[in-house]
């Protein structure tokens, strides 16, 4: 097994790929019997410090519906300078004249199964950051947000273009290039405008110059004419002042009303603006909201405070008036934005819901971030936002734009679909399966916003018929071609080509079994579950999952907020799901089954069972659920701490014990995006619920035998514990009806 | 002519039972197209139908007959002749219903036949058959030389008997009478006719005959004028006017004005008597309010109403009041008292809701009062109780303005406020078109510079340190730019709204600000605006969205106010209210001509409604270079109590100062906002129709987004029932409005009128100036729905009718050939004729459609002073001015005959001002005024006199500035030299002459009216 472990790890490190199965059953029939489909988690932009991009363009197979990139799996005749792909022989282009078996180009070397090309063609498009800022905030929040925004200007590369749209009751597009008077274009917050109208109103449509009709504006032209998007270096003073002078929405909010917030129109204006000026150029629309959209298209809740925003209950009872309309509206916007390669981030900071349920598609379809917090004046938001602009070892932003991921497979395999922050490009290549899993029906997906951790789940189908077996030792191959705009404005193409052996399920079932990657499979199946949960009723999905996973022992997933909506608002569910379908395997696993560390005087910190029995008075627990980081001080520890022992010199060790989990937590906080909610609590603390709701309720008020004993903390819940679940599972597993 | 009168009042256009005689003539009938042709373009000449002279249709023949009528004046002679001599014919005298006016005046009224007769010495032939016969001589005017010998002595020295001198003889007070007496009449009547003996009926048939020639000679004037009125006018006018009837002999407005000034000028007019006729609007007098509203606030067409509807119908004198609720009072008159009745609000009659006023009769020891309007007996509220004195008057009579005065104000309670909330201070929004035209002309900069100082002078409440009025700024072309000028800002902020389809205001806080607080930011803004758009290429504009924006701003700020829109061109950009050129000169003189005056429907109609509902008054300053469809663009201003100013082909050098003066006046005007007016009357009559810059949602409430000191509302009354001579007729005009300080107030004007069953009383109490105001407005409204020709016909007919009725009922029987005018209406025909020659009513393709529409709309909101001046401009001779005299120069009649080659005249009508320089004017004078040696050195386009340090220059400039000060509009001074091309502009204001674009001379008109009267009487 160690070999497989290593193999998997190695593959992940090199290619960013984790397959559910690392040996593929050689026929369709066998594959379906395996329940978990042949599928993989693919991280297109996995950070590879040791992978210098090559400065030339890839060599493609000339067959129209193949166009595969020359790769280590290709057969090469060095003497004839010929390579072949899909049975077609190609002559190397002249630049490969010096090729020989000792002088191979990188793309032919096995260690370069993943290789990155820099495309020199076309103008370098600047990065574009368009801030869309809600001004219906509390003074304190707005101030904090303004500061964050001002700070962010200093993080942007000087040639990046920035724009600012503010909204409240009205939507204001600020002109940035002006001297003297600050100008802005104002839109009514209640009126749905077409892109054309928006562009006309912003004065972006210039009368067509004769002879150039029909030709879209080149980005440079647009840059010259667009007063709203200007290079940072030119306007940062202006913009800093502008942000500084930004006032709360001045329109009075009567008693018992919500402020009128025209989020829908603001986004529509933002999308329309970028669409008209920089189509197919990397751009981020960053939406900052402090509450739900309350008027105009995309309205999520009315402005009457007495009508609360929809809950899961309302949705199930079909009582959410605006849900469908709003969702449809934002979906349309998201699709337009995705078409143009612009991604949309949502930074929602409010105590109540802000309509993420309706707006999630904006980010989900365009590869944008969603960040949810209580206030803009929290470190959670401030640091998360700062982290958006984090840089890699080359000093480049950890973000990429306008990605197009194409998957090519060898004949025995077809692509069913992908689950992740992507939209279909509807490319009906022959390798596209009719069976859809996730976003299917295509072999190309657009991923408008990418970062090194963006991970897509890709699902395949084995199409080889049982009666036409693959020859022994045959390999199936998959090539991932990712074209994207690097944050240094280069266009790049990353090509990952992998191959796996076919195995006959009947004769080599043990081999196949051992090639099973439980972690990847768990995440991939969870993604499928989430994908379904997004589109189907909750209980149905659970039933489906139970049917599927009864063999997979996924107790925690079943209880996770990704599938359970109980105790979560629709916004929270959307938020959790959003992150779940894009994070890499490790993070996803944390999300499914939170990690619990225990700190005590009895030894070094150790991972312990996520179980109520782990909650002991003399322990400090550190739980990482990805979204929350909880430090829980056991009863005794808490008392000691209250007594102030840590201040005394003789209890230095106690001080260290208290410090240890803090340091560890800090480490996690440093790297995690988005910043988790950091909770420092203790036995009996109200925030302890974050821990108690996650642990396996092995002791509850119901199983009295453990009640009051010193073995842990009972959880007041009616949920079944893992033990009960397991018992039940075992019974079912051996019963024939499974 | 249609059966529906243009005046809403049906009786006017219906057959009059009382005057069967002219039934046919007045109503629709085949007989009637007369007047339409009279002023119209030349018609083909065709032979008149023989025999019935009043049916004659054609210009020339018509003229003949008219003249014939005049001529006939001569032979009822003997009794009439005595009149001028100061021996009133008893018959006439006795016929007067009341002895009020001196007999001599009565005589004056009979437009003295002798005048005319004197010229027509020998003609004794009976008139009727003549008309067709006479034709010939007219067609071939006899040699001029023939005329002089026949000139009566009087004519050669027209000024022999000074018109003004009130002295010796009674006739002196009636200028024209004295005229005729002095010379001509003598010749004509007193003695044997100096001319050859009457040739007898056949005389006319012989063109060569001396008498005929003589006759022809003097007729030459009018006769030539008629056809000449059309294209070739000047030459015709250049003819020998001396040959005409003596123009001095017909009633003269200048004389009437002067007389009244002499009689009542400088005196105190105390309003304590019911039905008292006030001095003329032109007279300087002081008013003491003692129970009736000052004539500055209300003037009536007559101060004695006929008791019954029948009488009113019979005389056809319109019963109307012209109310100027905000008229400014001279410094020496007490401003209105403000009465505060506390939380309960003003005391009102329970039934008719009339406000407490001097006409409430306290009874029952002061516990109850009887309403003077509806006679309802009301309890006196406890807080208001007061004992009565021995006269039955409340003890506090003199302490309470509402008991003793005609005009006063109440503080309104919340019940009188929108949404029961006290109003916010009103706001002024300046909306500047920054499209290419306005930038290029430098207008934008001019406005911005001016605003800096002008805003310091916003009107403020009495005793207040600063104005409470808020200000806001918008610029626009195809899109609108709003400005945030909050005092806290370092820099103003501009907010662009391009969504003109659904206008909205992008900001609340910081848009409407207190000028004092935000002065620095506003300065900054005004400095930057011209630069910001300096290189604009945008030439398209929107208009309706601009107004909409103002409305929305007021709505959002929950205040009322006024928009000052400075606009350049027709709004052609794609937006609501987009207009297209529909100026079609081919429509002139057709039944569709009215469409030129009608606003384009739709958006603007709704906009007016919105404006009025939110108290948004619109003032429009237009700077067009071509047709802009003023009929439509001015629709909103004209419904919201706003004004429209028009500066065609604006150039800073020539029009800048003129515009700025207008702007300053306009901004500083005293004004009330969000006003609603109700006119209540005592039983028996009621207000039925309203004319003015207002909007009406129902039949009684006059809504005005704003009402300023120049807005006049004309109200027409109709009988409901019989009025009693004893109690008279009462009216109360209540105006609810918001003050410039943001207070809600009620302004009350009360007026009591007499009632009489004698028509003579009515005619005696008539006021010509008010009458003409009413006629102007009703005619200007009528042209929206009827062909001009009809309207003109109706005007003439009604004129004739009113006069005929007088003649029939009030004057002593006399020969039909005598034209008899009531004293109070003796100059009415001049005004009426002038009215018919105004641009809107004269169908001429030479006039700009916009100008006509503009004038039509501005007149609709005018008060009596303005219409009077507009229809009879002041023509002031300057050449013989006494630089040391304080006395203002005496105006002369508006006729070319009054001009002399060596003269210099100033003419003004409240809209335009001319300085006319005769060809032979004295070089000294020119030197003193212009600092150039002669006329030839004058620069082409002068619009102001240079400031020279000599008495003459100072005097003339002070006259001009005095006039500019007095008038509600500033006027552009145009300097024209005799015989220069621009003189044409000047000449159209000589309203006694034949109109440049059509329309009769005064004399001709009078003849025509007389003929009409005769027809009515027979």
């Amino acid at each position: 097994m160690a070999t497989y472990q290593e193999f998997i790890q190695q593959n992940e490190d090199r290619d960013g790929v984790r397959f559910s199965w690392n040996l593929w059953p050689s026929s369709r029939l066998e594959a379906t019997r395996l329940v978990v489909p042949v599928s993989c988690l693919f991280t297109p932009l996995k950070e590879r410090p040791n992978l210098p991009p090559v400065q030339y363009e890839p060599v493609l197979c000339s067959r129209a519906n193949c166009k595969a990139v020359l790769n280590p799996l290709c057969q090469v005749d060095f003497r004839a300078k010929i390579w072949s792909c899909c049975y077609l022989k190609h002559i190397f282009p002249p630049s490969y004249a010096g090729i020989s078996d000792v002088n191979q180009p990188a793309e032919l070397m096995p260690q370069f199964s993943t290789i990155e090309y820099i495309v020199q063609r076309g103008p370098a498009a600047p990065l574009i950051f368009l801030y869309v800022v809600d001004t219906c905030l509390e003074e304190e929040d707005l101030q904090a947000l303004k500061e964050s925004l001002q700070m962010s200007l200093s993080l942007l590369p000087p040639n990046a273009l920035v724009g600012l749209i503010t909204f409240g009751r009205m939507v204001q597009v600020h002109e940035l290039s002006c001297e003297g008077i600050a100008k802005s274009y104002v839109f009514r917050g209640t009126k749905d405008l077409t892109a054309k109208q928006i562009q006309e109103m912003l004065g972006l449509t210039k009368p067509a110059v004769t002879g150039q009709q029909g030709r879209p504006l080149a980005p440079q032209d647009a840059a010259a004419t667009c007063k709203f998007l200007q290079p940072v270096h030119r306007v940062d003073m202006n913009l800093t002042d502008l942000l500084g002078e930004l006032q709360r929405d001045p329109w009075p909010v009567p008693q018992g009303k919500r402020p009128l917030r025209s989020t829908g129109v603001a986004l529509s204006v933002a999308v329309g603006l970028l669409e008209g000026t920089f189509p197919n150029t990397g751009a981020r629309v960053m939406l900052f909201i402090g509450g739900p959209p309350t008027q105009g298209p995309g309205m999520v809740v009315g402005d009457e405070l007495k009508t609360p925003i929809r809950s899961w209950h309302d949705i199930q009872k079909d009582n959410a008036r605006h849900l469908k309309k709003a969702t449809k509206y934002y979906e349309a916007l998201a699709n337009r934005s995705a078409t143009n390669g612009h991604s949309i981030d949502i930074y929602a900071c409010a105590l109540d819901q802000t309509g993420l349920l309706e707006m999630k598609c904006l980010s989900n379809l365009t590869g944008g971030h969603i960040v949810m917090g209580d206030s803009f004046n929290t470190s959670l938001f401030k640091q998360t936002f700062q982290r958006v602009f984090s840089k890699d070892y080359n000093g480049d932003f950890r973000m990429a734009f306008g990605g197009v991921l194409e998957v090519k497979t060898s004949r025995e395999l077809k692509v069913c679909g992908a689950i992740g922050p992507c939209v279909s490009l509807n490319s009906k290549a022959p390798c596209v399966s009719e069976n859809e899993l996730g976003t299917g029906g295509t072999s190309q997906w657009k991923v408008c916003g990418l970062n090194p951790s963006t991970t897509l789940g890709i699902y395949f189908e084995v199409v080889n018929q049982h009666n036409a077996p693959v020859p022994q030792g045959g390999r199936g191959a998959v090539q991932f071609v990712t074209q994207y705009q690097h944050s240094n404005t280069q266009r790049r193409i990353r090509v990952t080509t992998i191959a796996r052996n076919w195995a006959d399920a009947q004769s080599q079932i043990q081999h196949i079994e051992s090639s099973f990657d439980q972690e990847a499979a768990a995440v991939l199946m969870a993604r499928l579950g989430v994908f379904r949960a997004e589109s189907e009723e909750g209980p149905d999905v659970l039933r489906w999952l139970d049917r599927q996973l009864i063999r997979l022992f996924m107790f925690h997933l079943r209880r996770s907020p990704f599938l359970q909506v109980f105790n979560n608002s629709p916004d929270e569910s959307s938020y959790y799901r959003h992150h779940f379908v894009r994070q890499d395997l490790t993070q996803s696993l944390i999300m499914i089954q939170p990690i619990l560390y225990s700190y005590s005087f009895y030894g070094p910190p150790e991972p312990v069972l996520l179980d109520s029995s782990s909650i002991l008075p003399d322990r400090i627990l550190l739980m990482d659920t990805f979204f929350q980081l909880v430090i829980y001080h056991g009863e005794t520890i808490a008392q000691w701490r209250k007594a102030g022992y840590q201040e005394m010199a003789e209890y230095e060790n106690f001080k260290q014990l208290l410090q240890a989990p803090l340091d560890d937590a800090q480490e996690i906080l440093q790297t995690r995006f988005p910043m988790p909610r950091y909770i420092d609590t203790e036995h009996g603390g109200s925030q302890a619920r974050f821990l108690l709701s996650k642990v396996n309720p092995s002791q509850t008020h119901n199983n009295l035998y453990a009640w009051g004993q010193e073995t842990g903390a009972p959880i007041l819940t009616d949920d079944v514990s893992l033990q009960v679940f397991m018992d039940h599972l075992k019974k079912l597993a051996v019963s024939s009806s499974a | 002519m249609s059966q529906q009168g243009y005046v809403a009042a049906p009786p006017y256009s219906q057959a009059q039972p009382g005057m069967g005689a002219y039934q046919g003539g007045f109503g629709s009938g085949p007989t009637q197209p007369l007047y339409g042709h009279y002023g119209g373009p030349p018609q083909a000449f065709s032979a008149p139908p023989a025999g019935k002279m009043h049916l004659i249709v054609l210009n020339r023949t018509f003229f003949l007959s008219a003249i014939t009528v005049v001529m006939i004046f001569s032979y009822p002679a003997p009794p009439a002749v005595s009149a001028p001599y100061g021996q009133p014919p008893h018959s006439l005298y006795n016929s007067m219903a009341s002895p009020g006016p001196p007999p001599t005046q009565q005589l004056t009224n009979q437009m003295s036949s002798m005048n005319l007769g004197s010229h027509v010495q020998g003609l004794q032939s009976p008139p009727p058959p003549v008309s067709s016969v006479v034709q010939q001589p007219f067609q071939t005017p006899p040699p001029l030389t023939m005329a002089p010998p026949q000139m009566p002595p009087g004519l050669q020295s027209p000024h022999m008997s000074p018109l003004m001198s009130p002295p010796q003889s009674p006739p002196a007070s009636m200028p024209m009478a004295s005229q005729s007496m002095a010379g001509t009449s003598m010749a004509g009547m007193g003695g044997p006719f100096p001319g050859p003996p009457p040739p007898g009926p056949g005389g006319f048939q012989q063109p060569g005959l001396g008498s005929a020639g003589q006759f022809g000679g003097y007729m030459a004037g009018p006769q030539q004028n008629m056809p000449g009125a059309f294209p070739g006018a000047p030459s015709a006018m250049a003819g020998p006017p001396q040959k005409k009837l003596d123009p001095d002999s017909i009633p003269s407005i200048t004389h009437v004005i002067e007389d009244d000034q002499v009689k009542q000028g400088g005196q105190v007019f105390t309003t304590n008597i019911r039905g008292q006729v006030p001095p003329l609007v032109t007279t300087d007098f002081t008013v003491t309010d003692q129970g009736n509203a000052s004539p500055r606030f209300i003037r009536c067409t007559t101060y004695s109403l006929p008791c019954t509807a029948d009488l009113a119908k019979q005389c056809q004198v319109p019963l109307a009041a012209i109310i100027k609720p905000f008229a400014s009072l001279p410094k020496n008159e007490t401003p209105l008292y403000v009465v505060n009745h506390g939380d309960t609000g003003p005391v009102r009659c329970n039934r008719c809701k009339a406000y407490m006023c001097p006409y409430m009769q306290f009874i029952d020891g002061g516990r109850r009062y009887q309403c003077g309007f509806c006679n309802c007996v009301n309890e006196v509220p406890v807080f208001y109780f007061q004992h009565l004195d021995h006269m039955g008057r409340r003890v506090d009579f003199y302490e309470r303005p509402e008991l003793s005065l005609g005009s006063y104000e109440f503080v309104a309670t919340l019940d009188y406020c929108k949404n029961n909330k006290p109003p916010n201070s009103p706001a002024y929004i300046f909306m500047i078109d920054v499209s290419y035209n306005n930038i290029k002309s430098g207008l934008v900069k001019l406005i911005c510079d001016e605003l800096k100082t002008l805003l310091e002078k916003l009107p403020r409440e009495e005793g207040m340190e600063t104005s409470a009025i808020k200000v806001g700024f918008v610029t626009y072309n195809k899109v609108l730019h709003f400005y945030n000028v909050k005092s806290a800002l370092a820099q103003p902020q501009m907010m662009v709204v391009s969504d003109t389809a659904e206008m909205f205001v992008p900001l609340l806080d910081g848009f409407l600000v207190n000028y004092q607080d935000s002065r620095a930011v506003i300065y900054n803004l005004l400095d930057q605006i011209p630069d910001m758009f300096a290189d604009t290429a945008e030439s398209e504009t929107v208009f309706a969205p601009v107004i909409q924006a103002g409305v929305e701003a007021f709505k959002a700020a929950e205040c009322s106010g006024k928009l000052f829109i400075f606009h350049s061109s027709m709004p052609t950009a794609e937006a609501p209210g987009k207009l297209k050129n529909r100026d079609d000169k081919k429509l002139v003189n057709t039944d569709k001509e009215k469409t030129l005056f009608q606003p384009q429907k739709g958006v603007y109609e709704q906009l007016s409604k919105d404006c009025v509902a939110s108290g948004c008054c619109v003032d429009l300053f237009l700077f067009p270079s071509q047709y802009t469809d003023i009929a439509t663009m001015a629709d909103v201003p004209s419904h919201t109590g706003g004004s429209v100013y028009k500066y065609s082909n604006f150039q800073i050098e020539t029009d800048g100062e003129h515009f700025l003066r207008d702007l300053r006046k306009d901004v500083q005007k005293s004004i009330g906002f969000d006003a609603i007016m109700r006119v209540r009357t005592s039983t028996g009559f009621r207000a039925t129709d309203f004319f003015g810059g207002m909007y009406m949602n129902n039949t009684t409430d006059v809504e005005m987004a704003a009402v300023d000191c120049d807005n006049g509302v004309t109200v027409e009354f109709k009988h409901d029932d019989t009025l009693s001579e004893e109690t008279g007729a009462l009216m109360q005009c209540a105006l609810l409005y918001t003050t410039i300080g943001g207070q809600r107030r009620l302004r009350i004007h009360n007026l009591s009128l007499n009632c009489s069953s004698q028509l003579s009383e009515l005619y005696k109490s008539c006021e010509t100036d008010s009458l003409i105001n009413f006629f102007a407005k009703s005619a200007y409204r009528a042209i929206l729905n009827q062909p001009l020709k009809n309207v003109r016909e109706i005007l003439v007919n009604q004129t004739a009718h009113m006069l005929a009725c007088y003649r029939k009922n009030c004057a002593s029987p006399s020969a039909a050939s005598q034209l008899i005018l009531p004293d109070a209406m003796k100059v009415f025909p001049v005004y009426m004729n002038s009215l018919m020659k105004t641009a809107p009513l004269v169908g001429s393709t030479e006039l700009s459609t916009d100008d006509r529409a503009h004038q039509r709309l501005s007149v609709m909101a005018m008060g009596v002073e303005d219409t009077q001046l507009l229809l009879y401009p002041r023509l002031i001779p300057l050449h013989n001015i006494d630089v040391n005299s304080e006395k203002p120069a005496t105006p002369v009649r508006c006729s070319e005959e009054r001009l002399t080659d060596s003269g210099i005249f100033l003419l003004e009508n409240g809209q335009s001002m001319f300085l006319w320089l005769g060809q032979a004017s004295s070089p000294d004078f020119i030197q003193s005024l212009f600092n150039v040696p002669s006329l030839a050195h004058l620069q082409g386009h002068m619009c102001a006199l240079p400031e020279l340090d000599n008495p003459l220059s100072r005097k003339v400039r002070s006259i001009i500035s005095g006039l500019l000060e007095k008038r509600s509009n500033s006027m552009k001074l145009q300097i024209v030299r005799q015989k220069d091309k621009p003189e044409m502009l000047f000449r159209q204001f000589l309203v006694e002459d034949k109109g440049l674009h059509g329309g009769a001379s005064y004399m001709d008109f009078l003849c025509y009216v007389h003929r009409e009267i005769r027809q009515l009487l027979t």
Side-chain angles (χ1 to χ4, degrees), chain A residues 372-560:
Chain A
M372 197 167 117
D374 290 345
S375 156
F376 288 108
N377 198 17
T378 55
S379 60
L380 185 145
F381 165 73
K382 289 179 186 170
Q383 297 196 21
T384 304
F385 183 55
Q386 210 162 345
R387 216 156 286 167
V388 170
F389 301 99
S390 68
K391 294 184 175 157
D392 64 12
Y393 47 90
N394 285 328
D396 291 326
F397 281 142
R398 285 198 163 94
M399 58 173 91
F401 297 95
V404 173
L405 170 65
E406 183 172 10
V407 178
K408 301 168 195 294
T409 62
S410 53
R411 277 176 309 152
E412 304 83 2
L413 220 52
K414 286 197 173 182
V415 192
C416 293
I419 297 180
C422 60
V423 287
S424 160
L425 280 176
N426 279 323
S427 145
K428 309 274 188 210
C431 63
V432 176
S433 160
E434 286 181 358
N435 242 340
E436 288 191 25
L437 283 177
T439 312
T442 178
S443 66
Q444 289 188 2
W445 293 267
K446 189 141 193 172
V447 192
C448 300
L450 286 156
N451 60 31
S453 69
T454 305
T455 302
L456 288 91
I458 296 168
Y459 300 82
F460 300 95
E461 184 184 29
V462 177
V463 292
N464 207 38
Q465 292 305 314
H466 193 63
N467 47 16
V470 184
Q472 200 71 67
R475 285 203 298 180
V478 178
Q479 187 170 63
F480 302 96
V481 181
T482 314
Q483 307 182 40
Y484 68 99
Q485 180 188 340
H486 192 264
S487 60
N488 65 10
T489 75
Q490 285 170 343
R491 289 221 61 96
R492 291 192 180 185
I493 300 175
R494 186 185 279 214
V495 180
T496 297
T497 316
I498 59 101
R500 292 290 187 272
N501 287 324
W502 295 110
D504 179 27
Q506 273 154 0
S507 55
Q508 296 170 297
I509 188 71
Q510 295 87 351
H511 291 204
I512 293 180
E513 226 166 74
S514 58
S515 79
F516 183 60
D517 182 341
Q518 177 179 289
E519 292 173 336
V523 174
L524 282 160
M525 289 312 282
R527 281 205 183 195
L528 273 178
V530 168
F531 188 84
R532 281 178 175 245
E534 290 284 78
S535 46
E536 290 168 30
E537 294 276 322
D540 294 347
V541 179
L542 278 183
R543 236 169 278 137
W544 169 84
L545 195 72
D546 284 348
R547 271 203 311 276
Q548 299 288 312
L549 298 190
I550 204 74
R551 295 153 227 187
L552 281 170
F553 321 117
M554 295 181 73
F555 171 73
H556 287 292
L557 177 61
R558 229 181 154 281
R559 294 187 67 194
S560 76

Side-chain angles (χ1 to χ4, degrees), chain B residues 326-583:
Chain B
F326 255 78
S328 35
L329 299 177
K331 294 251 176 318
N332 57 354
E333 290 180 19
T334 332
L336 300 196
Y337 289 97
V338 180
V339 181
N340 191 344
H341 280 173
D343 292 342
T344 47
V347 178
R348 303 175 69 172
C349 168
N350 288 335
R351 188 197 288 161
C352 70
K353 299 293 176 195
Y355 295 85
M356 181 51 65
C357 67
Y359 315 136
M360 301 298 186
Q361 189 64 48
F362 285 86
I363 50 176
D364 215 357
R367 281 193 300 275
R368 295 193 294 166
Y369 67 92
Q370 183 170 29
C371 172
F373 296 91
C374 67
N375 298 325
C376 169
V377 174
N378 298 277
E379 295 289 327
V380 174
V382 180
F383 81 93
Y384 201 67
F385 176 79
Q386 185 59 263
H387 293 287
L388 306 185
D389 65 10
H390 62 286
M391 312 258 296
R393 232 165 35 178
R394 278 172 62 121
V395 176
D396 59 358
F397 181 81
Y398 288 108
E399 285 143 42
R400 290 193 178 270
E402 75 271 24
L403 297 181
S404 49
L405 297 182
S407 301
Y408 44 85
E409 294 198 328
F410 285 115
V411 172
T413 56
L414 288 185
D415 292 343
Y416 296 84
C417 301
K418 238 178 223 165
N419 305 327
N420 282 345
K421 277 203 301 210
N424 291 319
S425 332
Y428 282 180
I429 305 181
F430 297 88
M431 312 180 107
I432 309 171
D433 169 0
V434 290
S435 67
Y436 179 73
N437 283 342
N438 274 356
I439 293 289
K440 196 186 66 178
S441 67
L443 177 72
V444 174
K445 184 159 171 39
L446 185 72
I447 295 170
C448 290
D449 289 346
E450 176 66 22
L451 283 183
K452 288 185 207 165
T453 47
L454 188 53
L455 293 179
E456 301 278 2
K457 299 177 202 148
L458 290 175
R460 50 177 195 257
E461 204 92 74
E462 202 82 21
M464 293 285 286
E465 202 63 0
T466 58
S467 172
I469 293 178
K470 300 234 164 73
V471 292
F473 303 88
V474 170
T475 58
Y476 66 95
N477 39 46
K478 234 165 61 177
V479 298
L480 275 79
H481 319 111
F482 295 79
Y483 295 94
N484 185 347
V485 285
K486 205 155 102 171
S487 57
L489 293 174
Q491 281 269 8
Q493 291 172 353
M494 179 208 248
M495 300 174 120
V496 184
V497 173
S498 340
D499 186 2
T500 46
E502 262 180 83
M503 205 11 94
F504 60 94
V505 192
L507 76 171
L508 183 61
D509 196 23
F511 178 55
L512 297 177
V513 297
N514 185 310
Y515 176 70
Q516 305 299 334
D517 298 345
S518 291
R519 191 191 330 227
V521 192
I522 292 175
Y523 256 64
N524 189 327
L525 173 68
L526 294 173
D527 278 338
Q528 290 200 49
I529 286 177
D531 295 341
M532 268 193 293
F533 300 99
D535 41 11
T536 186
E538 188 56 75
S539 56
E540 287 200 306
T541 53
V542 294
F543 184 64
V546 178
I547 299 177
Q548 189 70 45
V551 174
E552 298 298 328
F554 290 142
K555 268 192 209 158
E558 296 183 322
C559 69
S560 48
K562 182 148 142 176
L563 309 179
F564 296 80
I565 304 183
F566 306 92
H567 191 88
S568 69
S569 56
M570 191 150 75
T572 51
E574 204 49 64
K578 172 184 169 173
L579 298 180
K580 52 181 188 300
N581 192 331
R582 55 182 187 121
D583 186 16

